[in-house]
Amino acid sequence: MSRQETSQETTSQEKTSQEKTSQDKVAPQSGLATSLTSSEATAILDGLAEPSALRLLPESALQAVADAVRTEMIDAVSVTGGHLGSGLGVVELTVALHHVFDTPDDRIVWDVGHQAYPHKILTGRRDRIRTLRQPGGLSGFTKRSESVYDPFGAAHSSTSISAALGMAVARDLDEASARAQGAPAPKRRNMVAVIGDGSMSAGMAYEAMNNAGALHSRLIVILNDNDMSIAPPVGAMSAYFARLASGGTYQSLRETAKQLGKLLPKGLYQRAAAAEEYARSLVVGSGTMFEEMGFHYVGPVDGHNLDHLLPVLKNVRDSEQGPILLHVVTQKGKGYAPAEASADRYHGVVRFDVLSGVQAKAKPNAPAYTRVFGESLIKAADADDRVVAITAAMPGGTGIDLFGKAHPERTFDVGIAEQHAVTFAGGLATEGYKPFVAIYSTFLQRAYDQVVHDVALQNLPVRFCMDRAGLVGADGATHAGAFDLAYLCCLPNMTVMAASDEAELVHMVATAHAHDTGPIALRYPRGEGVGVDLPERGVALPIGKGRMVRAPEGARVALLSLGTRLSEALKAADALEAEGIAVSVADARFAKPLDAALILDLAGRHEVLVTLEEGSVGGFGAMVLHLLAERGALDAGRVRVRTLTLPDSYQDHNTPDAMYAEAGLDAAGILNTVKAALPEQKARGAKLVSVVRK
């Protein structure tokens, strides 16, 4: 799609022209429910560089804006890949929010951020939308450093209500401080949290709602219901009652009735309150749970009908009541037929053809680690009916979808509830079952307390399977599995493994299956393996034992790798040997317990020892240094130790290869580290002589 790269202020004449253009739509094509040509979409959006311009438009023009945003978004994501379906589902809601609320002074906090692409298009980032998730380009999530319209960074779910409540309380404190000082009241600001029904499965959302209800702070929560459909909309009548329930007249009358009702005898008052709640639920939806938590519930409202959505949002905006929950029903993938028809509504896509919707998926050269894990776990379960699998709303991303087809009765998707998943697994383990908890490394962070107290402290044999270990590319820092080695290796009773290739992953699944004496974790990266032959069945590895991969005579350098950096270590070894420097290469396999004999031998026989890991500072390398120091292996100064880790910073999104190169964890980086550490042989000889003389 051709488009202008610069935006200009729209004159009233241009607006009139745009409104005319918006009424002159072409026939539906390319799977779009309402399709615009690229020139029409460009004409509409060029005048909307900031939301302030959107607020000047009449409501009658907003559907055309929504259609243009949808067209722009589909075209952009077809080039960049990303989270398509979620954004398509909230196009009308996004347009309505920026039209009704005075952003950025009013804060809109998007939960997770998968649905934020339309928001980015409307908030001054349209000229960069085709850099989405690309090196140096826009983040795939909201990011505070990227725009003033992103008041809170996201990417993990169920945080928006807590963050928005914090902002609301800060606003209330500012207002109280101004009153106490006799200063003019600050500008009235609204705090809006937009959260999906999937994110409402996480306990943190309810913790925040419970607190919000108790504080009675003026907070707006918009429940974007795009799948579970807590209560379906019922057309015009539903919209009418939602408008009525959100309006000031209804709210004031209801509050007055409550106060008067309290003067009635207790039994009569309780019956009256129950009758009122029942009657209200009949006409405005099933909001009883939210009402009991202290929220004024409004909805459900059709999130794709601006005529219904706009007046309700205005009422909610102008309300002086405490927390309000607006239930908006949307369709994930709305307006793009291939997305609407897919099972996951095109949640996450690679580049695709707009006309057909066909994604440009490259043929893999080797099976993906995720698939290898899933198939290996199936074999374990085939042989042992005590094996169960648990995932937290990511069956496809973790390989548990494969397991679920083979053993549905032993598959448990607990929703976005990692804390529950871990303790749930602990309960299963106490009863003799063998739970495998498959969670992305970055998401397991959310259940750390449960890992410590509910599993490790009790020495329960729970198997933690951490997909997306290391760097993940386009999702950037928010999804990087950088910290699991550091936060697991410090725990007593914990065993931690990392596969160097897909064949070793098969054996590590078997190892975890056989390990019944305590918790055990295995980590593996996103993407395809290195292409080695897979064993038919895994064999349990001896706990805490690594392996020598290459051990030439007279080697001066030892590379000790944990995880899939082994292939890069071998490349670096080849390059060094081409320069006449012999290199030993070892695969640690275990970060805890360490293979002390192997490590001490490497330190004793080589001039330079380099550890490699796809994790942060404080992980495997730190464990090795601790061992060497504890055993006195560094006292004589005969070996130079270097630890290669991910940098002590959050790396921006890029390709995984580029990110590892930046971290110095590719073959070139390893080579440079070795050369910088390797002493000249003459200098080393002199040093050794002086040591002997002492």
Side-chain angles (χ1 to χ4, degrees), residues 10-24 43-44 56-58 61:
T10 306
T11 64
S12 58
Q13 184 177 357
E14 289 172 328
K15 286 178 189 175
T16 303
S17 173
Q18 288 174 17
E19 289 174 28
K20 182 178 181 301
T21 301
S22 71
Q23 299 167 4
D24 203 15
I44 292 170
L56 296 176
L57 294 180

Side-chain angles (χ1 to χ4, degrees), residues 319-331:
S319 172
E320 296 295 337
Q321 296 284 331
I324 295 174
L325 186 135
L326 172 59
H327 181 181
V328 176
V329 178
T330 62
Q331 181 185 1

